[in-house]
Amino acid sequence: AGRFFVDFLHPKDHNTFSSLSRNWLIFPKFENEAQCQEEGYNIQVSRSTMLCRIRRYKSLNLNYGVKDTMMTFTPFLLKFFFKGYCEDDPKEIHLHIQAFYFYSAFNTANELITKPTSFMFRHAANGILEYIDPESIPYLGYLPQDIKDKSALHLFHPDDLPYLKQIYERIVKEETVTSSKPYRLMTQNGDYITVETEWSTVINEWSMKLEFVIAKHHIIEGPANPDVFESPSVEKSNKISDSENNRIQAYRDRIIRIMNEVQNNTANSKKEVIGERCQNLVSFMETLIEETPKQEDELRPQMQDIRQLSYYERDSVMLGG
């Protein structure tokens, strides 16, 4: 008691929480002002949601001091709304929060997934993630704000990069790949899940450039450590040598070049198709112009002498003409 709720959030989530709260306070939405005055309060209809991490302690000293434990955070889905009390102070507003804990989707090491489970993400031609499904949280352990604006290529297992380079070559040539062989994606705890992926692309029709790569991942096997929310060990990150890091980065750079190089090839091929169609149209128009026009006598309709017809018949012929 007596503490600010924002103090218990992960530092990376402070801005998101403050922004969401500030937007509601600036533009409040009440259901019914008359009902608010009659009953003394009113609950906002549109409840806001937020994905965040809240810190947890195993033991505490006096004045919230941490005792013999490292600060850890647990992911939650927060649903909160503001309740305004109108009896004493119409401007007094209280924040109500419901927190739903995220559990890891895996119970055992290298768990085989029997039920089809999938999630998707989208990244740009430079590899930067622009969207990831919230459904991926129990399987990867990342919150969207943790992984957004980071390279999707860093999620791929280094040993799978040669195969994925071939996949990206197919993606930019065929625009869709219905299914891939099993490969590995890194979870938040540093282990890997095994997935099969359906790939597709979005091409800008005006610039003829590749805009996005969309990947729908189907999970077939869980990680060695089933708790995907556990902090990654320092030992795993320090195992890779500098030469190995350079080799891995070279594969990532090559994949990015593939996506950007084939943009030009795709644009050129489409321009060639359009140019061929235009040439065919020009040839067709020239053929029409070069044809010998028919004589005026051949085009003149053979009509009866209107003067020989009655007024009624003459008007009918003229109307028909």
Side-chain angles (χ1 to χ4, degrees):
R3 301 278 295 186
F4 289 106
F5 176 75
V6 70
D7 293 338
F8 292 91
L9 298 180
H10 193 282
K12 292 182 179 180
D13 300 327
H14 286 182
N15 291 337
T16 305
F17 178 81
S18 301
S19 176
L20 201 57
S21 304
R22 183 171 58 251
N23 290 341
W24 191 92
L25 291 172
I26 295 175
F27 304 103
K29 298 178 182 179
F30 290 101
E31 184 178 355
N32 191 328
E33 294 183 0
Q35 183 182 0
C36 179
Q37 295 178 357
E38 293 175 2
E39 301 182 5
Y41 64 89
N42 175 262
I43 297 177
Q44 183 189 5
V45 179
S46 57
R47 300 188 178 192
S48 301
T49 61
M50 173 186 171
L51 298 167
C52 70
R53 288 146 298 189
I54 301 177
R55 73 184 185 187
R56 61 180 178 182
Y57 296 132
K58 293 182 179 179
S59 59
L60 296 174
N61 279 330
L62 188 62
N63 298 328
Y64 294 90
V66 181
K67 178 182 178 181
D68 299 331
T69 184
M70 184 178 64
M71 185 181 298
T72 58
F73 293 86
T74 303
F76 282 88
L77 170 65
L78 299 186
K79 294 184 178 181
F80 58 92
F81 57 90
F82 293 87
K83 181 182 290 186
Y85 292 86
C86 304
E87 292 180 347
D88 301 328
D89 186 359
K91 297 182 179 180
E92 182 180 357
I93 297 176
H94 294 260
L95 174 62
H96 295 250
I97 299 176
Q98 291 178 309
F100 299 89
Y101 178 68
F102 274 109
Y103 292 91
S104 176
F106 309 105
N107 299 317
T108 59
N110 300 317
E111 180 179 350
L112 296 177
I113 306 301
T114 56
K115 295 183 180 180
T117 305
S118 63
F119 64 90
M120 61 86 66
F121 66 57
R122 181 184 71 225
H123 69 77
N126 58 2
I128 299 300
L129 279 167
E130 299 194 346
Y131 173 80
I132 184 168
D133 267 344
E135 288 81 359
S136 67
I137 296 175
Y139 302 99
L140 292 178
Y142 303 103
L143 296 185
Q145 58 263 38
D146 296 334
I147 201 172
K148 190 178 178 182
D149 297 330
K150 295 184 179 180
S151 177
L153 306 183
H154 286 80
L155 297 179
F156 302 145
H157 194 285
D159 295 340
D160 295 330
L161 288 174
Y163 168 68
L164 289 168
K165 182 178 75 71
Q166 300 175 9
I167 287 293
Y168 275 89
E169 289 173 347
R170 287 183 57 193
I171 291 171
V172 294
K173 290 178 182 178
E174 303 174 11
E175 297 188 2
T176 57
V177 175
T178 54
S179 182
S180 68
K181 296 179 181 179
Y183 68 97
R184 290 158 289 184
L185 283 178
M186 186 170 66
T187 59
Q188 194 272 152
N189 63 11
D191 285 327
Y192 291 86
I193 61 173
T194 305
V195 299
E196 293 178 351
T197 304
E198 300 176 24
W199 304 87
S200 60
T201 60
V202 176
I203 305 296
N204 189 316
E205 295 296 334
W206 295 100
S207 62
M208 299 298 182
K209 292 183 178 180
L210 186 145
E211 292 285 339
F212 306 113
V213 174
I214 302 171
K216 184 177 181 180
H217 306 287
H218 302 275
I219 305 170
I220 59 179
E221 186 178 343
N225 181 2
D227 186 4
V228 295
F229 297 113
E230 187 175 301
S231 299
S233 62
V234 181
E235 297 179 357
K236 292 182 180 179
S237 58
N238 294 333
K239 280 184 177 180
I240 303 177
S241 63
D242 292 340
S243 60
E244 184 67 12
N245 271 327
N246 293 335
R247 185 187 70 85
I248 294 171
Q249 188 58 42
Y251 270 110
R252 292 170 180 160
D253 294 340
R254 179 55 185 158
I255 291 174
I256 292 176
R257 285 197 300 270
I258 288 171
M259 287 188 284
N260 288 275
E261 285 173 359
V262 180
Q263 288 180 14
N264 298 329
N265 296 337
T266 304
N268 292 334
S269 62
K270 291 190 176 182
K271 287 179 181 179
E272 289 176 1
V273 172
I274 294 174
E276 184 179 354
R277 292 177 180 175
C278 292
Q279 185 63 37
N280 293 337
L281 179 61
V282 170
S283 300
F284 176 72
M285 297 299 296
E286 290 177 350
T287 303
L288 292 179
I289 295 174
E290 291 175 358
E291 286 184 358
T292 305
K294 295 183 179 180
Q295 298 296 329
E296 185 177 355
D297 294 338
E298 297 179 8
L299 298 176
R300 183 181 300 118
Q302 295 180 359
M303 301 177 59
Q304 301 182 27
D305 190 354
I306 299 179
R307 291 175 298 179
Q308 298 178 359
L309 302 176
S310 63
Y311 288 105
Y312 176 78
E313 293 173 333
R314 186 193 325 170
D315 292 342
S316 299
V317 171
M318 294 178 66
L319 181 61

